[in-house]
Amino acid sequence: MAMAFNHTHHLASLTSLCNSTLSSSILLKFPFRSLPLSPTRYSSRTIKSATSSSFTWEDVFQISQSQHNDSSDLQGFFDKINLCNRNSEKHSEFVPFVVVDQIVGYVHNGFADHLRRFADVFIFPKNNSHGCRFGYHVTLHPMLRTPEVMTSAVEDVVKCLGEELIPGIRNELYPVTSCFGTPVFFSLERAAAPYFGIKAYGVHMNGYVERDGQKYLWIGKRSELKPTYPGMLDHLVAGGLPHGIPCGENLVKECEEEAGIPKSISSEAIPVGAVSYMDIDGYRFKRDVLFCYDLKLPEDFTPKNQDGEVASFKLIPVTLVANVIRRTQLFKANCNLVIIDFLFRHGYIRPEDFGYLKLLESLRSGDCS
């Protein structure tokens, strides 16, 4: 007869492990910031490689209005898509993360070594049924039988590993599923999602205005206090999709928090599709799907941030936003994909442009399921 899972013993084991010193070999990956941009040094090479958050709106406008504007040149857009789809050749370094016989994610072989310390939470069956070159996969201990118990046990492990291995823990849970809309096996800390390679979903909204036949996009500049991509350019509204909230409801909530858009306006947002990408960076394997929305805003509306996550907003002609994407890395990386998708749908990128179909296809380079 199987022994009942002893949660008290589990917590005691984790406490003991947490008190031990983490290996000094842990390789940390943080977003880095280059030197501030100088308005007098806007060569194409400098602009293309710029990743600093130390820039002003004046810098943004100078870049967007600089010379050599060829709207048919799609290479800058390809570069941004590639930035979100790095190191695909390193997929073989990851082993499947399996729950209830379903692959829900991928764990780096090196990160799996850290999980082996938690034998009452993770086990590592040796078989090659999932085609892994390491001959094993990662799964949860069979004594963890309910979503609540799984969530609690994995949460304890994530807290134990802590900021040294999983930076940016924010106590926000993401659902762990095999694909969108299927039953949720358990919930996982948002910051840990890429370390377990689970699919993460988000909502991104392009808020635009039409004036005299020209379209403008409201663009946000992230707060310098944000733990991720501080000071970089962003959509008017965007956010991850937490456990237990539908996309449309989450978008309305984010609209109010990030831009002060009332429900009477945000409820008019139109779902227009999705983009996806797969990015490998060290132990992190991001498999993200972003649901895209368009919202045509009143000309007299001015967004006002409510949660302190956005420093300021500017209304910028779409053509100039396209130039910033082509020439810089000033936008948070995945925002580029959503805006490029907007450029397709609103006719700013045309079939006559060389590479049109390849660029369109590459917006869904990830597993869009």
Side-chain angles (χ1 to χ4, degrees), residues 51-94:
T51 58
S52 173
S53 65
S54 300
F55 61 89
T56 67
W57 285 113
E58 182 182 354
D59 295 331
V60 173
F61 280 101
Q62 281 195 311
I63 292 169
S64 65
Q65 295 172 334
S66 60
Q67 57 183 347
H68 307 304
N69 178 25
D70 181 2
S71 60
S72 67
D73 181 8
L74 304 184
Q75 184 56 51
F77 298 141
F78 277 110
D79 291 343
K80 300 311 176 298
I81 291 174
N82 291 337
L83 191 64
C84 288
N85 292 279
R86 299 170 298 174
N87 302 318
S88 60
E89 73 280 2
K90 295 185 178 181
H91 193 173
S92 61
E93 298 178 6
F94 290 75

Side-chain angles (χ1 to χ4, degrees), residues 262-319:
K263 185 176 181 179
S264 59
I265 295 177
S266 61
S267 60
E268 298 298 317
I270 300 173
V272 291
V275 298
S276 62
Y277 58 95
M278 293 194 298
D279 182 67
I280 294 175
D281 181 17
Y283 287 166
R284 297 161 51 87
F285 190 173
K286 287 182 67 64
R287 301 195 300 143
D288 291 358
V289 177
L290 310 179
F291 293 102
C292 304
Y293 289 78
D294 283 356
L295 177 61
K296 184 178 179 180
L297 289 158
E299 288 189 43
D300 59 355
F301 175 80
T302 301
K304 295 180 181 179
N305 181 245
Q306 308 295 312
D307 60 8
E309 295 189 358
V310 183
S312 57
F313 296 99
K314 289 291 182 183
L315 188 62
I316 304 177
V318 173
T319 53

Side-chain angles (χ1 to χ4, degrees), residues 28 31 55 71 100 108 145 184 202 352 366:
L28 303 180
F55 61 89
S71 60
V100 194
H108 192 277
R145 292 174 176 164
V184 176
E352 292 80 10

Side-chain angles (χ1 to χ4, degrees), residues 35 100 130 138 142 176 180-181 187 215 223 229 363:
L35 295 174
V100 194
H130 298 289
V138 181
V176 177
F180 188 73
S187 299
K215 288 188 176 78
S223 166
Y229 305 97
L363 288 173

Side-chain angles (χ1 to χ4, degrees), residues 203-209 216-221 233-239 251 254-261 265-266 293-298 301-305 307 309-310 312-315 331 335 338-339:
V203 292
H204 282 232
M205 190 185 81
N206 288 300
Y208 70 98
V209 170
Y216 298 74
L217 279 169
W218 278 107
I219 301 298
K221 193 171 189 297
L233 300 183
D234 206 336
H235 293 300
L236 176 60
V237 171
L251 184 70
E254 294 287 352
C255 279
E256 176 60 37
E257 293 175 355
E258 294 195 351
I261 304 173
I265 295 177
S266 61
Y293 289 78
D294 283 356
L295 177 61
K296 184 178 179 180
L297 289 158
F301 175 80
T302 301
K304 295 180 181 179
N305 181 245
D307 60 8
E309 295 189 358
V310 183
S312 57
F313 296 99
K314 289 291 182 183
L315 188 62
F331 271 97
C335 296
V338 180
I339 297 177

